[in-house]
Amino acid sequence: MINYLSFNHNRGIILLVSAILLLWGCRLHAESQLPLDEIVKKVEQHYSASGFHARFDQQSTIKAMQITDTATGRIYVKRPDKMRWEYDFPEKQTVVTDGRTLWIYRPEDNQVMVGKAPEYFGGGKGASFLSDIKTIRTHFSISLEKPDDRYYQLKLIPRQTGYDLTSIGLSVSKDTFDIVEIITLNSYLDRTRISLTHIAFDDTLNDSLFTLIIPEGTDVLELEE
């Protein structure tokens, strides 16, 4: 015969323990969520090295045409304003800037396009904020989206108008404060997602990496502003 008094007593203990564990878990979860300003500070501190490099996977979607392209390669970044993107797939291509000049070198086409970097990387376009992470406070309004277990999700809205870029989403590792994913959206609803892996901070990157010596015989085209 079931002892209902004992059964109800044990059931009450189980419910009480479950409630305590739930509250404890909620408290630990709440304590693991840093305030926005503290997250941004830790990201700035983490990216205080003069440079870093990483592998990237890129997915770009043109909304109006329903076209999605993918690309992979390596990125090198040096503060301030210097970047080098070396694409391995789908074709070899190098995009280099020293903060003033932009070079886009396509060896298979024997072609280099040259332009002014601010015209193409202004307002955070092309993940240019990576070359000086502190600029996100100046150029963007930052909010903290609903985080998941592994990442803080930051949303950046440009403070200035006049750029096609409408928002940037950053996924920041809770463990390392690496920026592991960047999602940009423009006024045409075109979307670019860049995933970064094998991130390594490096104070030894030479400035020569961020200029391009144009190979002899290469066609040179001026980028339209």
Side-chain angles (χ1 to χ4, degrees):
M1 181 180 293
I2 298 174
N3 186 331
Y4 287 100
L5 181 61
S6 176
F7 175 77
N8 287 331
H9 176 70
N10 291 336
R11 183 167 179 250
I13 291 175
I14 291 171
L15 290 173
L16 177 61
V17 171
S18 298
I20 291 172
L21 290 175
L22 179 61
L23 289 172
W24 186 35
C26 290
R27 180 182 177 187
L28 289 176
H29 182 70
E31 289 176 349
S32 70
Q33 307 305 314
L34 296 176
L36 175 59
D37 188 61
E38 187 66 20
I39 295 169
V40 175
K41 282 182 180 178
K42 286 186 176 292
V43 171
E44 290 172 343
Q45 291 168 359
H46 189 54
Y47 282 81
S48 62
S50 67
F52 75 92
H53 54 86
R55 293 288 307 175
F56 72 84
D57 291 279
Q58 178 176 310
Q59 184 182 76
S60 302
T61 300
I62 301 176
K63 177 73 172 178
M65 302 178 67
Q66 294 296 305
I67 295 175
T68 298
D69 292 324
T70 59
T72 61
R74 292 201 65 85
I75 177 177
Y76 300 85
V77 177
K78 185 174 182 180
R79 291 190 292 118
D81 303 330
K82 296 179 176 65
M83 292 193 299
R84 182 184 184 96
W85 299 76
E86 295 182 350
Y87 288 82
D88 299 324
F89 175 85
E91 61 183 22
K92 294 286 186 181
Q93 178 175 276
T94 303
V95 179
V96 186
T97 178
D98 59 4
R100 299 180 301 276
T101 304
L102 169 69
W103 298 269
I104 301 175
Y105 177 42
R106 296 174 176 167
E108 292 184 8
D109 296 332
N110 193 37
Q111 183 183 91
V112 173
M113 291 182 284
V114 183
K116 295 179 180 178
E119 302 295 332
Y120 294 88
F121 291 111
K125 290 187 294 184
S128 59
F129 59 89
L130 290 173
S131 63
D132 190 355
I133 201 69
K134 290 187 177 182
T135 61
I136 65 172
R137 288 185 188 267
T138 306
H139 299 305
F140 299 93
S141 296
I142 309 171
S143 60
L144 180 60
E145 303 288 280
K146 184 179 180 181
D148 57 34
D149 291 338
R150 298 177 61 192
Y151 304 110
Y152 294 112
Q153 305 292 347
L154 303 184
K155 185 174 183 180
L156 281 56
I157 303 296
R159 295 184 186 277
Q160 294 183 345
T161 58
Y163 296 111
D164 287 341
L165 185 70
T166 57
S167 69
I168 299 175
L170 303 182
S171 295
V172 178
S173 168
K174 289 185 175 181
D175 294 329
T176 64
F177 290 92
D178 286 338
I179 297 173
V180 298
E181 185 175 77
I182 303 163
I183 297 177
T184 61
L185 195 69
N186 68 14
S187 57
Y188 304 103
L189 301 182
D190 300 330
R191 182 177 183 269
T192 299
R193 179 181 61 81
I194 300 172
S195 298
L196 299 174
T197 59
H198 301 87
I199 300 169
F201 291 88
D202 190 344
D203 288 323
T204 65
L205 296 178
N206 196 291
D207 284 348
S208 63
L209 190 64
F210 304 98
T211 60
L212 182 70
I213 299 176
I214 299 175
E216 187 176 349
T218 302
D219 294 331
V220 180
L221 303 177
E222 294 291 329
L223 285 165
E224 295 182 3
E225 297 182 10

